[in-house]
Amino acid sequence: MDAEKSSSSSFEDLSNINEQERAEMNSSTGQQETASKDKNEEYLDILGNGTLLKKVLKEGQGERPESKDIAVINYTGRLDDGTIVEEERDCVVQIDDVEVVQGLDMALKLMNVGEQAEVIVAARFAYGELGLKDEDHPERTVPPNEKITYTVDLVSTKEETDLESKSYAARKEIGNKKRLRGNFWMKRQEYNLAIQSYRRALEYLDESEGGITNPTESGQLEPTNAELQELLEDRMKVYNNLALAQLKIAAYDAALKSVEHVLQCQPNNAKALFRKGKILDAKGDTKGAISFLQKAATIDEDDKLIQSELSKLVLKSKREARNEKDLYQKMLGHAQKLEQKSKSAPATQNRETSKFKLWGYLMGSILIGVAGVAIYRYNNRYF
C-alpha cells in the first residue's frame, strides 16, 4: 500500500513537473514569437514584398526630401557577414536620380532630416546578378545576388534651384556627373536606369532652355564660344549613349531621334553614323543601314567593329536578294504551270471564262509571292 502510494505520489509529481515544463516551454515559445513579431514590426516594408526594409535607429526632426531635392547623406553598406562594401560621408545626391543604389534612393524619401535609419536592400534593388567590383578598393566586393544593409544618416536636404539660375560651370559639372552615372548603369546592362540618367544629364547640358550664364562680380556674362563648344561635345556624348541604351530596349524610334540630334550638329560623327546603321537594321531597313555603316567606315577606317558589322550586313543583303529571287522564280513557275493547265482544258470550255480564271490564278500567285517576300523580310529583321 505504502509502496503503491509512494509510486502514485511520484507519478503525480512527475506529471506536475511535465505540465510545468510544458507551460514554461509554451511561455518561452510565445515570448520568442512575440519578440520576432515585434522585431519585424520595427521595419517598414516599403514595397510590401520584403525586398526593401527600413527601421528608424534615431528619430529625425526635420522635413523629408522630395523628388529632385538635393540631399546630403552619410552611409555605410554591409554584407550579412559584416563586411563593409560601401562607405561615404557628406555624399551629395539628387533624389530619384539613382545616384546611389535604387533601394537606398527610394528609402531616402521616407526619412526626416537628422534621422538615422537601417535600410535592408535586396539584390534586385542593389547590385543584382552582377554584384559590384571596386577596382580602387578590391576588398569592397559585392557578390552576385547579395543583399546589402545600409546605415544611413540624412544630414540635410534642400530644393533644387532653377536651371536658369545655374552657371555654365555648375551645369557642365552636374550634367557630366549624371552622364557618368548613366555610363555606370549601361555597363551593368541596366538600360532603363541609364536612360533616366542620360535624360537628366541633357537637361543640364542643353543651353537652349533658358540659356546659360557665367556669373561675375559685375553681373551675368554669356559663355564663350569655346565653352559652348565644350558643352556641345558633352551633349553629343550623351545623345550617342542614349541612342544605344534605347536601341538595347528596342525603342527604335526614340533611338533614331536621339542619334539624329548628333548628326544634325555633327554629320560626320562616326559613332552616330554607326548607331543609326544599327537602328535601321533593327527596323528592317538593311539597305539604309549599309549606307550609314559605309559612311562610318570611310570616316573611321581603323574601327574594326564598324568593318565587321558592315560585312555582316552586306552578306545579309545578298542573302535577302537571293531568297527574294528564288521566291519570284517559284511564283513565275507556278503561274506558267497554271497557264499550261489552262491550255490543256477541253475545247468546249468558254474561252472568256478560261482567260478570267487564268488571270485570277496569275494575280493570286503574284500576291502569294509578294506576301512571301514580305514575310521573309519581317522574319529576318533581327538578323
Side-chain angles (χ1 to χ4, degrees):
M1 282 289 287
D2 291 340
E4 289 177 0
K5 184 177 180 181
S6 175
S7 175
S8 176
S9 175
S10 298
F11 179 82
E12 289 175 358
D13 290 343
L14 181 62
S15 176
N16 290 336
I17 290 172
N18 288 341
E19 288 178 2
Q20 182 178 358
E21 287 179 346
R22 279 198 299 272
E24 289 177 352
M25 184 174 64
N26 290 337
S27 175
S28 175
T29 302
Q31 289 175 358
Q32 291 175 359
E33 289 177 351
T34 302
S36 177
K37 184 177 180 181
D38 290 343
K39 184 178 179 181
N40 288 335
E41 287 178 349
E42 291 178 356
Y43 287 88
L44 171 66
D45 190 346
I46 295 175
L47 300 178
N49 56 11
T51 57
L52 185 58
L53 305 175
K54 172 184 173 287
K55 178 174 72 173
V56 176
L57 301 179
K58 185 181 77 173
E59 295 285 349
Q61 303 300 322
E63 61 184 0
R64 289 185 172 184
E66 297 181 358
S67 183
K68 307 312 174 192
D69 282 356
I70 308 297
V72 177
I73 61 173
N74 300 325
Y75 67 93
T76 302
R78 293 180 173 83
L79 302 181
D80 281 344
D81 62 5
T83 302
I84 295 176
V85 290
E86 288 188 278
E87 192 166 26
E88 294 287 344
R89 291 293 175 269
D90 297 323
C91 179
V92 180
V93 297
Q94 193 156 18
I95 304 298
D96 284 342
D97 275 10
V98 287
E99 295 175 346
V100 289
V101 296
Q102 194 175 13
L104 185 55
D105 193 5
M106 289 188 284
L108 287 174
K109 289 194 292 185
L110 299 176
M111 295 181 64
N112 297 89
V113 172
E115 178 181 328
Q116 183 181 77
E118 182 177 274
V119 181
I120 302 176
V121 183
R124 177 184 174 186
F125 298 106
Y127 293 107
E129 297 179 356
L130 293 180
L132 178 69
K133 188 173 289 186
D134 190 335
E135 295 179 357
D136 296 328
H137 302 279
E139 72 280 3
R140 296 183 179 181
T141 297
V142 180
N145 299 311
E146 190 79 13
K147 73 177 180 183
I148 303 178
T149 299
Y150 289 95
T151 303
V152 56
D153 296 278
L154 179 56
V155 178
S156 65
T157 182
K158 64 179 181 180
E159 290 185 17
E160 180 188 22
T161 57
D162 293 336
L163 282 176
E164 292 78 7
S165 65
K166 293 185 182 297
S167 68
Y168 157 82
R171 290 179 69 161
K172 180 177 173 63
E173 180 184 356
I174 298 171
N176 278 303
K177 176 184 176 183
K178 295 183 185 300
R179 174 178 66 84
L180 293 175
R181 189 64 179 176
N183 293 349
F184 171 81
W185 293 120
M186 275 293 295
K187 290 178 182 178
R188 301 183 59 77
Q189 300 178 12
E190 297 274 4
Y191 300 122
N192 286 309
L193 295 180
I195 290 171
Q196 181 180 340
S197 295
Y198 289 142
R199 283 177 173 163
R200 286 288 287 158
L202 288 171
E203 292 180 22
Y204 286 87
L205 297 173
D206 189 354
E207 81 282 2
S208 62
E209 293 294 332
I212 299 178
T213 58
N214 276 325
T216 64
E217 293 180 1
S218 59
Q220 305 284 343
L221 296 177
E222 293 295 324
T224 65
N225 289 335
E227 288 174 333
L228 289 177
Q229 182 61 35
E230 287 182 5
L231 209 64
L232 174 66
E233 294 290 341
D234 293 338
R235 194 161 68 250
M236 295 305 99
K237 291 177 184 177
V238 177
Y239 271 123
N240 250 330
N241 291 343
L242 176 60
L244 177 59
Q246 290 165 330
L247 174 61
K248 291 292 187 180
I249 63 169
Y252 302 131
D253 291 337
L256 203 56
K257 288 181 181 178
S258 296
V259 82
E260 285 295 349
H261 278 289
V262 183
L263 294 174
Q264 286 173 4
C265 299
Q266 300 174 343
N268 292 325
N269 187 308
K271 183 178 287 188
L273 292 167
F274 175 73
R275 293 268 193 274
K276 185 167 183 179
K278 294 285 290 181
I279 296 166
L280 291 177
D281 177 39
K283 287 172 67 69
D285 184 0
T286 306
K287 290 182 179 179
I290 289 174
S291 67
F292 280 95
L293 287 182
Q294 285 175 333
K295 187 173 181 180
T298 302
I299 295 170
D300 192 350
E301 297 178 354
D302 297 327
D303 194 314
K304 294 182 179 179
L305 179 59
I306 295 176
Q307 299 290 346
S308 175
E309 290 297 322
L310 179 58
S311 298
K312 290 178 182 178
L313 283 183
V314 170
L315 290 174
K316 177 183 176 182
S317 179
K318 289 180 179 179
R319 185 164 60 249
E320 286 179 347
R322 184 171 60 251
N323 287 334
E324 285 183 18
K325 182 179 178 181
D326 290 343
L327 285 171
Y328 282 123
Q329 286 179 342
K330 289 179 181 178
M331 175 191 69
L332 182 60
H334 184 61
Q336 289 174 343
K337 287 181 181 179
L338 290 174
E339 185 178 7
Q340 291 174 357
K341 184 177 180 180
S342 177
K343 287 180 179 179
S344 62
T348 56
Q349 188 176 10
N350 185 287
R351 287 187 177 182
E352 292 298 325
T353 302
S354 178
K355 286 181 180 180
F356 178 78
K357 288 183 178 180
L358 175 60
W359 279 106
Y361 286 134
L362 288 172
M363 291 301 296
S365 299
I366 292 171
L367 290 173
I368 291 171
V370 170
V373 172
I375 292 170
Y376 169 78
R377 286 181 175 174
Y378 179 81
N379 289 335
N380 286 273
R381 64 184 293 188
Y382 298 110
F383 174 77

